[in-house]
Amino acid sequence: MINKTIKGAASALVAAVLFLSGCGQQTEVSVSDIALEKNSFYNPIIRLSDDKGRLIYGGDPAVYVDGDTVYLYTGHDMSTDKEVEERAYHIPEYFCYSSKDLKTWTAEGVVMNMHDVEWAKDSKSAWASQVIKHYDEEAKKDLYYLYFCSWDKTSRGKQSIGVAVSDSPTGPFTDIGEPIVRGIVTKPETSAWNDIDPTVWVDTDEEGNEKRYLAWGNGKFFICELNPDMISVKDQNGDGKITSGRSLDAGDILTTLKGFTSYTEAPWLYRRQDSEGNYYGDYYLFYASEWRESLAYSTASDPMADQWTAGNIFMKPTATCNTNHEAIFDFNGKTYMMYHDGARPGGNGYRRSACLQELVFEEDGSISLMEESTAGLFGSTSLIKSSSGSYISHEQFTNSSEDSSYPYLDIKIGEELSESVLDRQWVITDGKYDPDNEYLVSIQAENKTGLYITAGPEGSVTLSQDVDGSEDTAKNQTFKTTTSLNGKEGMVSLESTFYEGMYLTVSDGLLTLSDGSDADACSFVIE
């Protein structure tokens, strides 16, 4: 069983006067604070603050594996409350993090700032990126290329695809001075932001010829081949200019939407590896699908042949973010997926954070539906049982595709409210209000990352997102763990830090707050 160990007795004893059932006799039970085992590693994986104490957010994760090191790249989400209300992204720079075990991450700092991109329309639109390494014949060494997108003042203000170069995966990256693909080139256009979310892939075909693919697109999917210099598009028909069309006969950039499941944006090219590290089989194109965004994939034997076969949606929208952006990579013999959500305090679709899970292929190469996971790769989940032996779960619900359903603030919690095993799994972490206090905990739903057991007014308890990142919300989502009010060994009680003297309680099958007078209703087993 997990999280049942009591690490130590508390300093102060709290006396609770209880009535023993059936005898009407008063019995004094001494209650002491206890420390439960808590998770240190869970999603989101990057949980940092700046030197002013402000939370650092970063979405649109991209990953590059270089030898024994995994590099994670994100934009720096800095949207203010007003900008969130206006649905405006404010992303001035790109961050990099590194890890050798996927568990501990080192902040490598800013790798490129939009102030340094001359063609960019503004300095706060560091939209999605991807990094790859490639040997440069002229420089006679490996260089690293960061493909990115931003608003382009040289292309009637449309979004364009850029590329920046560095000697190191941790930067700094220097923009080449102009877009590699201008938004005025790609057609047919449906919006000024068709040209976003670049993804890049390099491997060798059966004849030993190196292939370098660049793909991107919102609402439209575009793909082309790159020249060996990695900073220019290959002129497929040799006419001396770069154009786009529905076939390579008509242009050098192929435009297609055939073989996809409601393609939206965030494409990511990928191919599987065998035990020797050799690529094999079909190419996968992972992408965000529909709105709010699910994740889906399609496959093709040749990315440029316009013959994609739609797979299935394998992750529904997260509980805290309207968009999603996946990064698929192999490391130490397994395949993993980065994605983003809005689970951190004050988070949302404009203040996002990177999450990590293993991606499992079925024998036929398909990918089954998977849920977002709070525990992620290294965390553990707990089961909470009432004194009657019933499991505490949140009510079953599917994350809505309607923006008006968010944020989730009042999901019911109680005894056996769902038959799903996942709905009764919880992730116990340090208390949000005071992480250094070993007797305080916060409790998230395993399959609804960022939704916490939350104490509310008039004795209410719900599963709720922390939408404002305030001290009061942190206190509402933090509980002090004590020995059980009913005095039974192996049970615990949880006192609200906001409503002192009020305990999590089962009443008529629902989780509520009470003064603890019904000791059994306030006592739980945590497995």
Side-chain angles (χ1 to χ4, degrees), residues 393-397 414-421 423-424:
S393 69
H394 62 78
E395 62 180 327
Q396 195 281 327
F397 68 100
E415 294 179 301
E416 311 288 358
L417 291 188
S418 171
E419 295 181 357
S420 170
V421 173
D423 291 342
R424 63 176 62 161

Side-chain angles (χ1 to χ4, degrees), residues 18 21 386-388 485-488 491 505-506 516-524:
L18 309 173
S21 175
S386 66
S387 57
S388 68
L485 297 187
N486 66 9
K488 293 183 179 179
M491 303 191 78
T505 305
V506 174
S517 56
D518 185 346
D520 277 339
C522 304
S523 299
F524 301 89

Side-chain angles (χ1 to χ4, degrees), residues 393-406:
S393 69
H394 62 78
E395 62 180 327
Q396 195 281 327
F397 68 100
T398 300
N399 297 340
S400 176
S401 60
E402 300 295 327
D403 287 341
S404 59
S405 299
Y406 296 83

Side-chain angles (χ1 to χ4, degrees), residues 121-291:
K121 183 180 178 181
D122 59 52
S123 60
K124 60 180 183 180
S125 299
W127 286 24
S129 68
Q130 187 177 343
V131 169
I132 195 169
K133 179 173 72 174
H134 189 264
Y135 185 77
D136 184 86
E137 290 289 349
E138 184 175 333
K140 302 300 180 183
K141 62 180 179 179
D142 287 323
L143 295 177
Y144 296 83
Y145 300 84
L146 185 150
Y147 298 87
F148 65 101
C149 54
S150 192
W151 297 107
D152 179 8
K153 64 185 179 184
T154 71
S155 297
R156 299 198 297 271
K158 298 177 182 294
Q159 283 269 352
S160 291
I161 306 298
V163 58
V165 187
S166 175
D167 289 328
S168 166
T170 58
F173 285 86
T174 301
D175 176 63
I176 65 171
E178 61 182 357
I180 187 173
V181 178
R182 299 182 186 276
I184 54 176
V185 170
T186 52
K187 303 180 187 306
E189 295 177 339
T190 57
S191 74
W193 55 89
N194 280 150
D195 296 280
I196 66 170
D197 297 355
T199 179
V200 60
W201 184 264
V202 177
D203 67 11
T204 304
D205 65 17
E206 295 179 354
E207 285 74 40
N209 300 311
E210 184 181 82
K211 295 290 186 178
R212 301 161 298 276
Y213 303 108
L214 179 69
W216 65 94
N218 170 289
K220 296 285 184 180
F221 175 69
F222 303 103
I223 188 168
C224 67
E225 289 189 52
L226 297 175
N227 289 315
D229 64 5
M230 298 295 287
I231 60 172
S232 60
V233 176
K234 182 178 179 180
D235 183 357
Q236 297 280 1
N237 53 20
D239 64 357
K241 58 183 179 179
I242 301 301
T243 57
S244 69
R246 296 189 181 277
S247 71
L248 291 180
D249 292 332
D252 313 289
I253 299 170
L254 180 62
T255 304
T256 183
L257 276 179
K258 293 165 58 178
F260 300 123
T261 302
S262 301
Y263 174 90
T264 303
E265 59 181 357
W268 186 274
L269 288 167
Y270 170 82
R271 202 176 182 197
R272 300 176 72 184
Q273 297 183 57
D274 61 23
S275 59
E276 302 297 321
N278 299 310
Y279 297 121
Y280 71 94
D282 285 344
Y283 291 83
Y284 285 76
L285 184 76
F286 294 90
Y287 52 91
S289 172
E290 304 174 334
W291 186 265

Side-chain angles (χ1 to χ4, degrees), residues 91-92 94 112-117 120 122-126 148 150:
I91 317 171
Y94 295 96
M112 191 174 77
N113 193 297
M114 291 307 296
H115 280 296
D116 301 322
V117 180
D122 59 52
S123 60
K124 60 180 183 180
S125 299
F148 65 101
S150 192

Side-chain angles (χ1 to χ4, degrees), residues 40 103 119-120 138 149 175 219 229 259 336 340 442 445 466 500:
S40 297
K103 192 173 188 179
W119 56 265
E138 184 175 333
C149 54
D175 176 63
D229 64 5
Y336 298 95
H340 69 221
S442 292
D466 181 350
E500 293 184 8

Side-chain angles (χ1 to χ4, degrees), residues 70-138:
V70 178
Y71 294 95
L72 165 64
Y73 303 87
T74 74
H76 182 190
D77 288 354
M78 296 187 68
S79 293
T80 63
D81 289 343
K82 185 175 186 297
E83 287 171 321
V84 171
E85 186 177 338
E86 295 171 347
R87 300 183 179 183
Y89 292 103
H90 185 158
I91 317 171
E93 56 202 3
Y94 295 96
F95 281 145
C96 177
Y97 306 89
S98 65
S99 177
K100 294 184 181 297
D101 59 7
L102 300 180
K103 192 173 188 179
T104 56
W105 293 85
T106 299
E108 302 288 354
V110 175
V111 296
M112 191 174 77
N113 193 297
M114 291 307 296
H115 280 296
D116 301 322
V117 180
E118 294 183 357
W119 56 265
K121 183 180 178 181
D122 59 52
S123 60
K124 60 180 183 180
S125 299
W127 286 24
S129 68
Q130 187 177 343
V131 169
I132 195 169
K133 179 173 72 174
H134 189 264
Y135 185 77
D136 184 86
E137 290 289 349
E138 184 175 333

